[in-house]
Amino acid sequence: MRKNTTSSIISQLILLVFVVVWIIPTFGLFISSFRDKDLLANSGWWTSLTTSQINEIFRTENKDSQYQENGNYIIKGNFFDNIKGKKISSFGITSKNINQFLVGEKAILKNGSEITVFENGDYIWKSQDSFKHKNGKRIFITALSPPKFTIENYKEVLFKEGVGQAFLNTLTVAIPSTIIPLIICSFFAYALSWMRFFGRDTLLAIIIASLVVPLQMSLIPLLSIYNDIGAFFNIGAKSYPGVWMAHTGFGLASTTFLLRNFIKSLPHEMIEAARVDGATHYDIFIKIILPLSVPAFASIFILQFLWVWNDLLVGLVFLDQLPSEIILTAKLRELLGSRGENWEILTTSAFVSMTVPLLIFFLLQRYFIRGLVAGSVKG
Amino acid sequence: MTIFSFIAYIVLGVTACISYYHISNYLLDFFTKKVFKKNYNDSAIRAFIFIAPAFIVLLVFILYPVFETVRLSFFDKFGREFVGLDNYIWAINDPQFRRGIINNLGWLLIVPTLSTFFGLIIANLADRIWWGAIAKSIIFMPMAISFVGAGVIWKFVYDYRGPGDEQIGFLNAVVVFFGFEPQAWITIPVWNNLFLMVIMIWIQTGLAMVIFSAALRGVPKEMLEAARIDGASELKIFTSIIVPYLEQTILVIWTIITILVLKIFDIILAMTNGQWQTEVMANLMFDWMFRGGGDSGRGSVFAIVIMIGVVPIMAWNIYKHKQEQKI
């Protein structure tokens, strides 16, 4: 019995290690997408629940805001502009020594003026003579910042960075690119299973061969066909219908194969009985096969939808990289290039692109797994 | 684009598709029953109606392009002049091509092996633990995420700041915590390939796991119990009963992941774009499709190299299918 308990504990520990390693990257991204961007740039996401120490640079107001009091010239203000909760612990006036002074101490500048910074971000800058600074004085501060979460990042990427538009574009690509292959492949699969015609077995062999043909084999010739069509009709070569058809083509073999396996497994007595009663193949398909195939359709729909949603290559090659056509994955890749250091934008955009797949994943996991397992039987 | 035109687009595409089948079948029924007054149910015309759209798509999007790509690989960059093996000879002498081949081989060796191995272990462990279902869900989740999304997730993990600064990338934070120097992981040649492979393993382990999980249910319970009564350790049971029993499944998962890895593209493009010696075939191909206005000859060579990788798998699939048809 003891042996069993120890081995069970070891099993649990090993599994726990896997789970932790697997969840940390996604979890970090998720937390980061809700963090304030200054905090995100200065501290790790694992510190997000603790008060963190950050170093920042601010500028005081310039000479325009000075006023006279008791013979002194004074500039007053607050660095934090109403952001509450941050506490300054020390400050400095040169980049070499950024925490030279504690809060409340007087720092004396070269020109004899003195500046004091307080815990809440207030500062007073006093001078005997009037200020002549066109730009304010740079002040380096070290502050303690409490945990802070915000949805600002989401507002920013959805409406300013064009990720919201890309989200709609992706939907426009994904929905027809999933439904069209489902329709045409279900007829195809039915014909391959229950209709007799010349060359059926060869056709099936071609489908099985096509299952593994890399889509790279199709890209160059297809792109030139698209360009020719575009030039012939004098329209852009890249369009939504074009990308729907491309996805239909690339998903055709696997969708047909999965559906054919399913339709073939339905009891043939049922179909023969209907035939004897004089039903046409179209009637049989609509009235018998379709209702029975709903679970199989659900699985295949999810597989194809996720494949299209997550695709990058087809979207890059067959769509314009303009705001009106760019898809989420392509947008994300563009942001990785142009906003490589703005983690608040990258993490949030990545999370936006993951919302739909994750939603499908958590709500329809059963169908998703069923489809994957069915597809793997032959691979 | 407005929401309205978005919906219009979708409705248009789908309606066109459905109405083709409905109208053509209706017309066929009308002519056979009403006009010719006979019932030809097995008519070749109906088979044609059912097959035609899918077959045309297959022809235009898969079959024709495959032959065309082979042809283009022997032609110049515009696909006009026959140049014989020039493109292939160029490729063999191109350092990037060779780097790509070596990297692709590395990917093929490491990713399917580790994904399958981890998947098998996790499936085996999770089925015996009460919180196994939750664990499986978590491990499977990356399967739903796009490669680019996964790229962003891991780029954040690998993020690098200078030694003096506070690290915001998790990996470097751990490294610094244990007193080592932080590293710019994805820019260290050769090793960076491993860090990119981690992403793919992270995604594909979930796939291996669910398929193994389904297959494990087929392992006869009596056999396992008998082994346990005889005092076999769990490790022994795993290596002597479960692994041999799952041999076929292991092979299938291996092939699926191998095919995926041969085409690996998104992760490389998003993370490094082939810099720091991380180049792979699919990324080189994408590059040459557009570099300098596009070179269809050289681009095709890369596609064909990928294709050569899948040919054995393809032959094996067809062979297996033929065997099944005989039974």
Side-chain angles (χ1 to χ4, degrees):
Chain A
M1 198 61 218
R2 174 180 288 168
K3 194 184 154 202
N4 264 341
T5 334
T6 5
S7 90
S8 160
I9 289 175
I10 293 171
S11 306
Q12 300 216 22
L13 274 179
I14 298 174
L15 194 60
L16 192 66
V17 170
F18 272 111
V19 168
V20 169
V21 171
W22 251 251
I23 193 95
I24 278 180
T26 322
F27 187 68
L29 181 94
F30 177 69
I31 296 288
S32 298
S33 71
F34 288 102
R35 294 185 76 203
D36 178 70
K37 67 179 178 191
D38 294 332
L39 286 178
L40 180 53
N42 289 305
S43 63
W45 56 266
W46 52 91
T47 63
S48 60
L49 282 179
T50 56
T51 301
S52 52
Q53 187 180 323
I54 51 172
N55 297 316
E56 284 175 292
I57 304 169
F58 288 102
R59 258 181 207 285
T60 61
E61 300 279 324
N62 62 14
K63 65 180 163 89
D64 298 337
S65 65
Q66 64 182 309
Y67 62 94
Q68 257 180 314
E69 199 180 85
N70 304 332
N72 286 329
Y73 289 87
I74 292 179
I75 294 180
K76 258 173 118 173
N78 186 301
F79 290 133
F80 294 156
D81 298 326
N82 301 324
I83 299 171
K84 288 205 177 87
K86 277 193 196 172
K87 280 183 185 167
I88 297 177
S89 57
S90 57
F91 70 98
I93 48 177
T94 59
S95 59
K96 281 185 194 138
N97 200 349
I98 58 168
N99 40 23
Q100 196 176 1
F101 307 98
L102 290 176
V103 284
E105 283 184 343
K106 276 180 192 164
I108 298 177
L109 273 56
K110 272 187 217 151
N111 63 4
S113 62
E114 46 183 67
I115 190 160
T116 308
V117 177
F118 298 97
E119 198 179 61
N120 64 355
D122 284 340
Y123 62 86
I124 294 184
W125 190 9
K126 278 187 198 165
S127 172
Q128 307 278 330
D129 315 310
S130 72
F131 291 101
K132 297 195 173 60
H133 300 71
K134 276 185 192 151
N135 297 316
K137 168 81 188 136
R138 271 201 307 172
I139 302 289
F140 301 86
I141 63 144
T142 303
L144 291 175
S145 185
K148 187 167 157 232
F149 294 98
T150 162
I151 55 163
E152 277 306 309
N153 299 337
Y154 282 88
K155 282 187 196 156
E156 166 100 17
V157 299
L158 284 178
F159 304 113
K160 285 190 196 144
E161 292 288 334
V163 173
Q165 178 64 48
F167 188 92
L168 282 183
N169 296 345
T170 310
L171 265 183
T172 315
V173 171
I175 293 175
S177 297
T178 311
I179 298 176
I180 294 171
L182 211 54
I183 298 172
I184 72 170
C185 291
S186 58
F187 282 96
F188 195 28
Y190 177 86
L192 286 171
S193 317
W194 299 113
M195 290 168 114
R196 289 207 193 92
F197 57 89
F198 175 75
R200 191 176 78 170
D201 293 337
T202 318
L203 204 52
L204 195 56
I206 292 175
I207 295 285
I208 290 168
S210 309
L211 277 176
V212 295
V213 172
L215 70 87
Q216 274 85 1
M217 282 300 276
S218 301
L219 291 182
I220 293 173
L222 279 182
L223 194 63
S224 85
I225 293 179
Y226 276 43
N227 285 335
D228 290 347
I229 292 175
F232 185 77
F233 291 106
N234 204 12
I235 49 171
K238 301 179 174 186
S239 65
Y240 283 111
V243 89
W244 299 341
M245 290 320 291
H247 276 302
T248 304
F250 301 137
L252 186 111
S254 57
T255 309
T256 307
F257 184 72
L258 287 175
L259 274 173
R260 186 245 169 207
N261 281 355
F262 180 80
I263 293 175
K264 188 82 182 166
S265 73
L266 295 173
H268 63 98
E269 295 85 2
M270 204 167 55
I271 290 148
E272 273 154 23
R275 292 282 304 283
V276 171
D277 290 347
T280 65
H281 276 299
Y282 188 66
D283 294 334
I284 295 172
F285 180 80
I286 297 290
K287 289 181 185 140
I288 301 176
I289 304 291
L290 274 191
L292 286 174
S293 307
V294 171
F297 277 152
S299 294
I300 295 166
F301 185 94
I302 291 169
L303 284 185
Q304 173 77 4
F305 184 84
L306 283 182
W307 153 248
V308 175
W309 186 275
N310 288 336
D311 156 80
L312 170 68
L313 185 52
V314 178
L316 279 181
V317 175
F318 296 107
L319 281 177
D320 273 323
Q321 304 306 304
L322 300 170
S324 63
E325 283 190 2
I326 196 166
I327 55 169
L328 270 174
T329 45
K331 183 81 201 170
L332 208 51
R333 183 226 160 193
E334 185 194 289
L335 288 175
L336 268 172
S338 63
R339 299 300 209 105
E341 287 303 310
N342 293 54
W343 280 110
E344 78 282 1
I345 289 182
L346 288 174
T347 55
T348 312
S349 309
F351 201 74
V352 168
S353 83
M354 284 156 51
T355 47
V356 170
L358 288 183
L359 211 62
I360 291 178
F361 174 77
F362 283 115
L363 295 178
L364 305 166
Q365 197 177 142
R366 211 153 39 101
Y367 292 101
F368 184 26
I369 291 177
R370 211 179 281 165
L372 280 176
V373 172
S376 75
V377 175
K378 284 185 180 169
Chain B
M1 192 173 52
T2 61
I3 298 280
F4 178 73
S5 61
F6 157 67
I7 294 169
Y9 250 128
I10 290 171
V11 171
L12 189 82
V14 174
T15 320
C17 199
I18 294 175
S19 42
Y20 157 77
Y21 288 101
H22 199 74
I23 293 169
S24 60
N25 277 287
Y26 176 78
L27 285 177
L28 183 64
D29 285 346
F30 180 77
F31 280 110
T32 50
K33 285 182 185 159
K34 305 277 160 55
V35 180
F36 301 112
K37 305 269 189 210
K38 59 181 171 175
N39 194 355
Y40 38 151
N41 209 355
D42 262 345
S43 77
I45 300 173
R46 178 129 21 218
F48 180 80
I49 292 171
F50 272 42
I51 293 166
F55 187 70
I56 292 168
V57 171
L58 188 70
L59 205 67
V60 174
F61 286 85
I62 311 276
L63 300 182
Y64 158 75
V66 167
F67 292 106
E68 178 70 0
T69 300
V70 174
R71 184 187 77 83
L72 284 172
S73 73
F74 297 106
F75 280 71
D76 70 348
K77 69 183 281 192
F78 305 107
R80 289 188 201 125
E81 262 175 68
F82 183 75
V83 294
L85 287 173
D86 280 8
N87 290 322
Y88 290 90
I89 294 165
W90 165 82
I92 292 168
N93 292 317
D94 182 46
Q96 271 189 319
F97 176 85
R98 279 189 257 165
R99 175 47 51 194
I101 290 278
I102 293 169
N103 285 344
N104 260 105
L105 286 177
W107 278 80
L108 284 175
L109 221 58
I110 294 170
V111 175
T113 315
L114 287 183
S115 303
T116 314
F117 181 66
F118 289 151
L120 185 55
I121 290 179
I122 294 165
N124 201 41
L125 290 176
D127 282 349
R128 294 185 286 134
I129 291 170
W130 59 272
W131 48 277
I134 303 167
K136 282 205 280 187
S137 234
I138 288 170
I139 306 242
F140 185 50
M141 195 191 63
M143 268 300 285
I145 299 172
S146 66
F147 289 145
V148 190
V152 175
I153 289 178
W154 282 89
K155 204 164 187 181
F156 191 46
V157 172
Y158 293 148
D159 190 63
Y160 167 75
R161 300 285 173 93
D165 296 334
E166 182 157 359
Q167 301 295 331
I168 67 166
F170 190 74
L171 187 59
N172 273 322
V174 171
V175 165
V176 168
F177 179 79
F178 286 107
F180 298 100
E181 285 275 294
Q183 303 288 335
W185 305 103
I186 53 174
T187 61
I188 311 166
V190 189
W191 299 106
N192 51 6
N193 283 297
L194 289 178
F195 293 107
L196 298 181
M197 288 177 205
V198 165
I199 305 173
M200 193 66 172
I201 295 169
W202 180 72
I203 297 172
Q204 295 303 325
T205 297
L207 175 78
M209 184 200 66
V210 291
I211 298 173
F212 278 129
S213 236
L216 273 174
R217 282 187 212 120
V219 179
K221 288 256 173 2
E222 304 79 36
M223 210 147 70
L224 296 178
E225 270 159 33
R228 281 199 188 106
I229 290 167
D230 288 349
S233 68
E234 288 298 321
L235 193 69
K236 185 84 186 158
I237 292 173
F238 181 70
T239 52
S240 322
I241 300 177
I242 293 177
V243 171
Y245 192 87
L246 293 180
E247 209 174 298
Q248 277 295 313
T249 318
I250 293 174
L251 204 59
V252 167
I253 294 172
W254 201 295
T255 17
I256 295 177
I257 301 178
T258 299
I259 293 171
L260 267 170
V261 165
L262 266 170
K263 297 186 283 188
I264 185 68
F265 164 72
D266 313 31
I267 292 178
I268 305 289
L269 183 74
M271 298 285 283
T272 62
N273 194 14
Q275 293 174 82
W276 307 294
Q277 304 185 24
T278 55
E279 204 57 272
V280 291
M281 286 298 113
N283 192 53
L284 276 170
M285 180 191 170
F286 182 75
D287 193 22
W288 279 102
M289 271 178 77
F290 299 104
R291 190 193 285 185
D295 187 325
S296 65
R298 289 177 182 180
S300 298
V301 170
F302 298 110
I304 283 167
V305 172
I306 300 173
M307 184 70 195
I308 290 169
V310 302
V311 165
I313 298 169
M314 191 170 180
W316 187 62
N317 276 354
I318 294 176
Y319 169 77
K320 247 187 6 169
H321 174 72
K322 289 266 160 67
Q323 294 297 101
E324 275 162 29
Q325 293 294 89
K326 277 182 198 153
I327 303 162

